Amino acid sequence: MTGVQTCALPISYNGGGFNVLGTRTSNQQFVKCVFANNLAVSGGAAGIIGTTTGLVVDFSQCEFLGNQVLNPGSSYGGALYMSMSTLNATNCVFSGNYAHMGAGIYTLGASKTLILKNCTLAYNRGSNNTGIYFSVVPTTNAITNCIAWANDLTDIYSGLTVTYSDVEGTYAGTGNLATDPLFTSDATGIWVGTWTSGYSYNPSNCTTLLTDTAGGWVAGELAGNYINIDTTNERLHYYIISNTATTITVLGQATSAALGDSYRIFNYQIQNSSPVKAAGTDSSMPSNDIADRTRTSTYDMGAYEAYRIHYVNTALGTGSDDGSSWANAYRTYEAAGSFRSPLSRALVAASSGDEIWVAQGTYYPTSGTDRFVYIELKNGVKVYGGFSGIESSLSQRNIRSYPTILSGNIGDKAIRTDNSQQIVIAPTGASARLDGFIITDADGWSDGSGIFLSENANCSIANCIITNNSSTGNSGGGVYSMNNASKFINCVITGNSTALYGGGFYFNYTLAGEFAIDFENCVIAGNYVTDNPSSRGGGISTYVN
């Protein structure tokens, strides 16, 4: 995303973030931009668009957060102010903006066009008609597949053509809903907490560092989410750029955050059970969502397509084998090539934000004999084991009663020398979750026989047993972690071995910067190194260069 904010610049009278004016016909495009915490006195805190009917401005996959027009009695367009022009917004989010009228969008005059497709407008604040407001109905207007929810007063002023949209308080139009869209972070948010120190503002790049020493996050896992830095003021919405285990960096001047203030981290993704799922129309709508996830027929309402659950169960003998349900779970290995597992097939099909549910049983990287085939995690995808194969919610699984095993014993079950070299690999930059598995029986010369975590693969490994894996020629029999900040929760690492360093776990830090592996409620015991004078660290070995 590209960030646009005023930073230390003077407050503008109109158009705090940008000002697109003129009398010529032109087309301006903004793609994947964040307009955050801009200020204006009269109108268009994020931007103002006018003054000719030949001017067309397109916004695609953009986010408008916490922009404010300061004049309390006569302020217009907390995010966007449009006059005598054409505004197209596709896959955009308008959140926490403030103005007297039209905190999200305000339009002035009749000779204009307003087109919104798959946009989400939520928690915008003001004293009068705060979602979308106009002085005169735009000559051409269409709002389709949108969500307007939890804005002050009127979400969308009456008179527009609104279809296949979810509008709080009802809105006449084909396919419209008036029901809670069930955002994934409704109520409490995806994370709530309290600041344990004050802010640290960097005017050189207009970012603010915020600290909660009790955070315990995986590095990078919060990036792209939103945060209300003080839950007593819904205007204070910011965009999270990055995070460490205890700090969050936001775009903009978040100097209202104070020691002891409560915060809420959230997003506008929708739950899998949301009523807006598959309630939109796919006619002339964008094929991807704001996060570049492919929209599937029938389209969801709002900027985000709902995450999907992919099901895996090799015990099935029937079904379409497409992962769409437990009855049709992925059950077969590939018939050619690498003969990859049904779990690998699910990972190929999954997109960031999706989940994969794997039923009890033993799964191998391949049904063939190629020792160099492994299961590759995917960025943003959460993989869960421990299911019987009938559950409808994650809380119903039982990892003890229904063990799910990822085994490297692909060849002759009586010997180890033909086993998989590695079982699970997280490639560079893939921040994924692996939860509820037994990873066992890898054997070979490769680093990280059980699990190999590549550079910046900041993963969460939870409720896993990593056991009986051997790296006979390198390091990290159980786990090899390279230049990342992964987190291990409720894991047991035992009975693994290596010829060199870290029978159970090996950390290899060779890049500049700080990397911190976090163990929470884990047991690392009974691991060993072979009888080699150069060997180090039966349980854990660390190399920092």
Side-chain angles (χ1 to χ4, degrees), residues 365-490:
T366 175
S367 60
T369 58
D370 188 343
R371 302 181 67 198
F372 295 95
V373 178
Y374 49 81
I375 297 168
E376 183 174 278
L377 301 180
K378 180 178 280 188
N379 186 47
V381 176
K382 300 175 181 178
V383 186
Y384 295 98
F387 296 92
S388 69
I390 61 171
E391 294 83 355
S392 59
S393 70
L394 189 61
S395 63
Q396 293 173 335
R397 70 174 180 153
N398 189 321
I399 60 177
R400 292 185 178 180
S401 298
Y402 307 109
T404 308
I405 302 167
L406 306 181
S407 172
N409 196 358
I410 60 173
D412 186 335
K413 299 300 186 282
I415 61 175
R416 292 180 61 85
T417 53
D418 61 354
N419 286 13
S420 298
Q421 293 268 346
Q422 296 165 302
I423 297 175
V424 176
I425 289 182
T428 300
S431 296
R433 185 180 182 92
L434 186 70
D435 189 325
F437 291 89
I438 299 170
I439 298 99
T440 187
D441 290 334
D443 193 291
W445 284 81
S446 300
D447 290 319
S449 298
I451 300 176
F452 185 93
L453 304 173
S454 304
E455 290 186 4
N456 295 315
N458 301 320
C459 294
S460 295
I461 312 297
N463 304 304
C464 287
I465 299 173
I466 304 162
T467 185
N468 199 31
N469 302 287
S470 300
S471 177
T472 56
N474 279 290
S475 300
V479 181
Y480 185 106
S481 176
M482 183 175 186
N483 300 323
N484 61 64
S486 293
K487 185 172 184 176
F488 286 75
I489 308 159
N490 300 331

Side-chain angles (χ1 to χ4, degrees), residues 50-197:
T51 52
T52 174
T53 55
L55 178 63
V56 178
V57 182
D58 296 328
F59 295 94
S60 178
Q61 298 172 294
C62 291
E63 294 157 280
F64 300 83
L65 306 172
N67 301 287
Q68 299 185 56
V69 183
L70 300 180
N71 190 334
S74 58
S75 58
Y76 307 94
L80 294 175
Y81 180 108
M82 181 185 73
S83 174
M84 303 291 289
S85 53
T86 294
L87 166 62
N88 298 311
T90 303
N91 287 330
C92 292
V93 169
F94 299 81
S95 175
N97 303 288
Y98 175 82
H100 173 59
M101 288 188 174
I105 300 172
Y106 178 84
T107 69
L108 176 67
S111 299
K112 56 187 176 295
T113 298
L114 175 65
I115 306 294
L116 270 64
K117 299 178 179 181
N118 282 103
C119 291
T120 298
L121 301 96
Y123 293 97
N124 297 288
R125 295 292 179 249
S127 54
N128 194 357
N129 302 303
T130 55
I132 300 173
Y133 184 72
F134 50 85
S135 61
V136 181
V137 175
T139 304
T140 303
N141 69 86
I143 298 174
T144 311
N145 284 6
C146 292
I147 298 173
W149 200 264
N151 302 286
D152 279 349
L153 303 174
T154 306
D155 289 87
I156 301 177
Y157 195 55
S158 62
L160 299 179
T161 302
V162 180
T163 58
Y164 298 100
S165 295
D166 188 21
V167 183
E168 187 174 18
T170 71
Y171 204 99
T174 302
N176 288 342
L177 302 176
T179 186
D180 189 338
L182 297 181
F183 298 123
T184 57
S185 55
D186 275 349
T188 59
I190 58 174
W191 194 278
V192 293
T194 302
W195 302 124
T196 56
S197 67

Side-chain angles (χ1 to χ4, degrees), residues 223-240:
N225 286 291
Y226 311 141
I227 184 168
N228 181 2
I229 62 171
D230 178 1
T231 55
T232 66
N233 187 347
E234 201 63 61
R235 299 186 202 176
L236 301 176
H237 289 191
Y238 290 82
Y239 183 86
I240 299 176

Side-chain angles (χ1 to χ4, degrees), residues 316-322 327-329 331:
L316 291 181
T318 60
S320 61
D321 197 20
D322 61 7
N328 296 309
R331 55 186 172 84

